[in-house]
Amino acid sequence: MKTVYNFSAGPAVLPKSVLEKAQSELVNYENSGMSVMELSHRSSLFESIIKNAETLLRELMTIPDNYKVLFLQGGASMQFTMVPLNLAQNKKALYVNTGSWAKKAISEAKKLGTVDVEVIASSEDKNFTYIPEINKEDIPQDAAYVHITTNNTIEGTTIYDLPDTGDVPIVADMSSNILSIDYNVADFGLIYAGAQKNIGPAGLTVVIVREDLIGQADVLSAMLDYDIHAKNGSMYNTPPTYGIYMAKLVFEWIKEQGGVSQMEKQNKEKAMILYDEIDSSALFSSPVNPKDRSINNIPFITGNDELDKKFNQEALAAGFENLKGHRSVGGMRASLYNAFPKAGVAALVDLMKKFEAENG
Ligand code: PMP
């Protein structure tokens, strides 16, 4: 089999042992004679998969009992609409604009018309290369929430210290650093994440929401209503069963590795190897403000489009997949999620050194 290092921002690399376990159970899950894909979502076998997935996630993230865990569909993008629809109708919703995904969240909330959307901080003035200050004085205490993006996948910034929002709940798009940084769930009102980076295959979206924040909205379409999903244990309709099964395997793997704090430690070590190279190189540089740098998505550039292109071509030829930067920013981007191996970062650094010696 061809060996590659997959630097994709998502869908992203999964732990090999998880894929092998899924393979070993594929055609005959627990001696049922069926695969998980073929099981009824109402069967006791699947009931136990979804229950275990939730229990493991609660354990890994220390999710308090007064939070619901929902396994939904529609991607993180669907949450750009569901969050304001459920939490902020006829109310004020505050947003921190830290990048392309935050902008989409803002624009979707504005479309609803019934939500008074206000952007209280933005880093757009410098191409989203830093995390703006979020001042408590700018947060009206009657607002429904403050929406942040904990990790900006495209721009490579992270909010490490949560803002003081007083009594206003923080809603977080945690798509690209859930289970990678050890945040305290109790500091948030709602967390959402598409699965395809640190959780499992695309098609599953995880929502963790404080109970008192749901069930307040007027009548909503059932599929858009957190309360209906919560009351039905994420089984109002057919949930993404195979995605939930894969997520369960990934949660087991994270637990075996030592949990989220261990993931964070390893991710920091991996990121430091690359940042050290970028900072000591005369050719490569990072556009991001050092204290706001993401450990999960690391953009870097040579400052010369032709050289970026050449580097990307050589990287691809060397078996480094998906290293090309997002089409909106160019350059390179190394996404180093939980399952990305340290050896892959070392190999990338070797290639960068070689490239610099030949082209610097
Ligand atoms: N938010 C962030 C921070 C993301 O990185 C992404 C996907 N890359 C999204 C939202 C959109 O997610 P989805 O494709 O699951 O809708």
Side-chain angles (χ1 to χ4, degrees), residues 70-292:
L70 308 176
F71 295 113
L72 307 180
Q73 300 184 61
S77 301
M78 180 65 97
Q79 297 310 309
F80 297 163
T81 298
M82 281 178 80
V83 165
L85 204 53
N86 281 264
L87 270 54
Q89 285 205 66
N90 306 312
K91 291 188 192 149
K92 202 174 271 211
L94 312 177
Y95 283 77
V96 180
N97 183 12
T98 50
S100 314
W101 294 112
K103 271 174 94 164
K104 287 204 168 129
I106 294 163
S107 118
E108 292 304 299
K110 280 187 177 162
K111 281 184 198 166
L112 291 175
T114 52
V115 179
D116 180 7
V117 176
E118 197 186 313
V119 177
I120 55 163
S122 169
S123 52
E124 195 160 18
D125 59 339
K126 288 187 186 156
N127 253 339
F128 302 118
T129 51
Y130 70 103
I131 297 295
E133 285 246 344
I134 302 159
N135 298 313
K136 198 173 169 195
E137 306 84 73
D138 298 331
I139 301 173
Q141 291 299 299
D142 60 344
Y145 58 79
V146 177
H147 181 284
I148 62 171
T149 311
T150 51
N151 190 74
N152 296 282
T153 323
I154 295 175
E155 297 80 6
T157 60
T158 295
I159 299 180
Y160 291 103
D161 299 317
L162 297 182
D164 178 1
T165 58
D167 289 332
V168 180
I170 297 177
V171 167
D173 176 354
M174 214 181 263
S175 294
S176 49
N177 70 354
I178 191 168
L179 294 166
S180 165
I181 298 252
D182 207 1
Y183 289 109
N184 179 16
V185 174
D187 292 339
F188 299 86
L190 186 149
I191 292 167
Y192 63 89
Q196 63 271 24
K197 301 161 199 300
N198 264 327
I199 296 176
L204 166 68
T205 313
V206 171
V207 175
I208 301 164
V209 56
R210 221 173 64 201
E211 272 168 2
D212 60 290
L213 296 177
I214 59 175
Q216 313 290 331
D218 293 342
V219 180
L220 295 177
S221 306
M223 286 300 287
L224 298 177
D225 190 342
Y226 291 134
D227 200 35
I228 289 186
H229 288 295
K231 286 193 170 119
N232 288 281
S234 301
M235 299 246 240
Y236 167 74
N237 74 323
T238 316
T241 52
Y242 201 75
I244 294 168
Y245 159 74
M246 288 297 291
K248 185 200 81 132
L249 296 185
V250 171
F251 298 157
E252 282 167 353
W253 175 82
I254 295 175
K255 191 175 165 183
E256 276 161 30
Q257 301 296 303
V260 181
S261 56
Q262 184 60 22
M263 290 287 110
E264 180 173 334
K265 184 167 166 274
Q266 289 174 11
N267 289 332
K268 281 188 174 147
E269 283 167 12
K270 288 185 286 186
M272 280 325 293
I273 298 172
L274 183 50
Y275 280 125
D276 281 348
E277 169 58 21
I278 291 170
D279 288 340
S280 63
S281 160
L283 180 63
F284 296 102
S285 66
S286 156
V288 178
N289 187 30
K291 85 174 190 8
D292 302 321

